[in-house]
């Protein structure tokens, strides 16, 4: 028995497909996409007036295991993903201890297998203990199944060490996903540097702290030939650097996060710690540059930087509060409302930025893929994994922190009323979420 997703609008940017059709998944893989597929004892998921897309992939998520399970776990974080419409999540290695040991990678994959069923791709630390001093055992990590390497939240400051890391990653057919921040210049800043930080009397982080490292990492990409994914681009100059580097043919991808395309640093007014995040919410001009980058394809992916923190880590002075916000359950409504319904990008572009393009970040050159990365992810081609996100473009969605599946409820979008949401999440033909309710 398979799963028949019936009467939907099937949208697969990888094939340029946008047509009314049924979609059948058998034995965990796409078996047919055509009109009028017979029911024949299959489980039926009605998709009338809905859009049937490749399963969404979030390349930037913090699931906090090991070590900070009070904020999130593989189990709770993957439930949040399923609730938000994500079939795949990529978890960052800035855990405690860092994900710099192959045994940890296997343990996390076991936990994901025992959880709701969202596919987990583990990112390995570039440096031992995320300390930025010596490289992690990248070869062993790669053998254990890490999909990409990252220094997220603890960016490697030494250009020489980063060069070596990128040379190793390239040799292993892995890309690197980099948080671009000059820590010395960012200093002990807590929000964007500008009129709002002056008004609030808070220490600022200038755009240049990001721009300098984006430029450096682009040059190291040129030097090493290593695939580079730039995490959470937030400034106009960074968008410009990425645009130019891509025009020169460098193997670069980049992401924009919903908070950077929906909010400015004014969200910090009133010392609102829910809006404290790194890179910080920027000026209106920077936000517009992120929107322009999404619109012209400079920013290929939409990713959440889902960063759960406990109540006591946010319910405190702005200076003391942790940086980050949960994103898995607000990303799709914010994308549909703020980007698609407002005409910034087409629906097909939004779907590509949530499926086709993040799949390419994971699959890369297709060589020596880790066990968990099927080369067919991110499409609805026959034979591809049966991972599907169904969208309801008009469903009213109010952000209510208490209703989030994530163990942490930190969000600056509380009370926002948005139009559009994921209506179902399917992985390997299993329905994990339907009409906002988790099923497994
Ligand atoms: O705001 C952030 N929170 N930015 C990061 O880079 C890391 C993340 C976290 O781990 O909390």
């Amino acid at each position: 028995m398979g799963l028949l997703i019936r009467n939907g609008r099937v949208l697969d940017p990888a094939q340029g497909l946008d047509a009314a059709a049924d979609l059948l998944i058998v034995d965990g893989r796409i078996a047919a996409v055509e009109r009028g597929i017979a029911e024949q004892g299959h489980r039926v998921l009605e998709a009338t007036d809905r859009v049937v897309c490749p399963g969404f992939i979030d390349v930037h998520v913090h699931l906090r295991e090991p070590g900070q399970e009070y904020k999130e776990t593989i189990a709770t974080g993957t439930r949040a993903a399923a609730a938000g419409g994500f079939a795949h999540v990529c978890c960052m290695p800035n855990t405690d201890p860092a994900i710099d040991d192959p045994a940890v990678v296997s343990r996390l994959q076991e936990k994901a297998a025992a959880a709701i069923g969202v596919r987990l791709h583990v990112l390995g630390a570039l440096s031992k203990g995320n300390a930025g001093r010596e490289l992690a055992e990248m070869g062993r990590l790669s053998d254990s199944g890490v999909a990409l390497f990252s220094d997220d939240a603890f960016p490697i400051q030494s250009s020489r060490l980063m060069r070596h890391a990128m040379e190793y990653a390239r040799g292993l057919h892995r890309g690197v996903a980099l948080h671009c921040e000059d820590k010395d210049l960012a200093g002990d800043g807590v929000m964007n540097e500008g009129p709002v930080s002056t008004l609030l009397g808070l220490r600022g982080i200038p755009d240049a702290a990001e721009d300098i490292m984006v430029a450096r990492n682009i040059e190291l990409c040129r030097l090493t030939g290593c695939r580079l994914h730039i995490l959470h681009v937030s400034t106009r100059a960074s968008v410009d650097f990425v645009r130019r580097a891509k025009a020169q043919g460098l193997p670069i991808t980049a992401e924009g996060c919903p908070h950077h395309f929906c909010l400015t640093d004014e969200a910090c007014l009133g010392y609102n710690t829910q809006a404290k995040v790194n890179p910080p919410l920027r000026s209106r001009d920077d936000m517009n540059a992120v929107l322009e980058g999404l619109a012209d394809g400079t920013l290929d992916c939409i990713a959440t930087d889902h960063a759960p923190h406990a109540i006591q880590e946010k319910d405190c002075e702005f200076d003391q509060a942790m940086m980050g916000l949960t994103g898995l359950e607000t990303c799709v409504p914010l994308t549909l409302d703020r980007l698609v319904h407002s005409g910034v990008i087409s629906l097909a572009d939004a779907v590509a930025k949530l499926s086709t393009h993040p799949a390419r970040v994971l699959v890369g050159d297709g060589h020596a893929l880790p066990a968990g990365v099927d080369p067919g992810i991110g499409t609805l081609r026959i034979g591809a994994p049966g991972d599907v996100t169904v969208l309801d473009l008009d469903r009213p969605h109010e952000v209510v922190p208490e209703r989030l599946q994530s163990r942490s409820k930190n969000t600056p979008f509380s009370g926002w009323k948005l139009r559009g949401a994921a209506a179902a999440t399917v992985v390997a033909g299993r329905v994990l979420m339907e009409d906002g309710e988790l099923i497994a």
Side-chain angles (χ1 to χ4, degrees), residues 172-378:
L172 297 165
H173 298 282
R174 296 285 179 272
V176 296
L178 301 184
H179 170 122
C180 300
E181 181 184 2
D182 180 323
K183 282 284 184 193
D184 191 36
L185 183 55
D188 50 9
V190 293
M191 67 170 293
N192 183 50
E193 182 174 303
V196 182
S197 65
T198 305
L199 186 72
L200 291 173
L202 293 171
R203 287 180 302 274
I205 302 170
D207 281 15
E210 177 174 325
D211 308 335
I212 287 167
M213 277 301 192
V214 168
R216 181 200 77 171
N217 291 334
I218 287 171
E219 290 313 310
L220 291 178
C221 166
R222 196 190 310 276
L223 178 66
T224 62
C226 177
R227 276 191 294 122
L228 168 62
H229 178 71
I230 301 186
L231 300 167
H232 44 39
V233 174
S234 76
T235 69
R236 178 168 290 282
S238 295
V239 175
D240 285 343
F241 280 132
V242 174
R243 188 180 286 121
R244 249 178 289 153
K246 286 177 137 188
Q248 293 165 354
L250 293 179
I252 291 178
T253 52
E255 70 189 32
C257 298
H259 45 281
H260 289 128
F261 64 70
C262 292
L263 296 171
T264 68
D265 53 2
E266 291 184 12
C268 298
L269 287 170
Y271 301 93
N272 177 13
T273 58
Q274 298 297 345
K276 182 174 175 184
V277 60
N278 191 23
L281 303 175
R282 303 281 190 185
S283 67
R284 185 152 301 273
D285 183 56
D286 287 315
M287 186 188 80
N288 286 337
V290 171
L291 289 166
E292 289 160 23
L294 287 163
D296 73 8
T298 300
L299 303 180
D300 350 54
C301 300
I302 295 171
T304 65
D305 191 9
H306 176 79
H309 291 295
I311 292 173
Q312 66 276 17
E313 294 168 330
K314 283 290 191 181
D315 197 2
C316 58
E317 283 174 30
F318 200 93
D319 270 343
Q320 308 302 322
M322 294 280 180
M323 290 171 149
L325 48 99
T326 58
L328 283 166
E329 294 167 82
T330 47
C331 177
V332 170
L334 288 166
T335 299
L336 292 176
D337 191 295
R338 294 302 162 112
L339 297 184
V340 177
H341 291 312
S342 60
V344 176
I345 60 176
S346 67
L347 177 63
D349 271 352
V351 171
K353 287 178 199 299
L354 288 161
S355 60
T356 326
H357 300 161
R360 287 191 195 135
V361 174
L362 285 170
V363 172
D365 62 11
H367 285 97
L369 285 178
V373 178
D374 186 295
I377 60 173

Side-chain angles (χ1 to χ4, degrees), residues 93-122:
N94 61 321
T95 48
D96 184 15
I99 305 177
D100 62 1
D101 176 346
V104 177
V105 178
S106 327
R107 185 78 190 110
L108 296 181
Q109 276 156 350
E110 281 164 23
K111 288 195 174 198
I116 189 165
V118 166
R119 297 189 200 261
L120 177 72
H121 308 285
V122 179

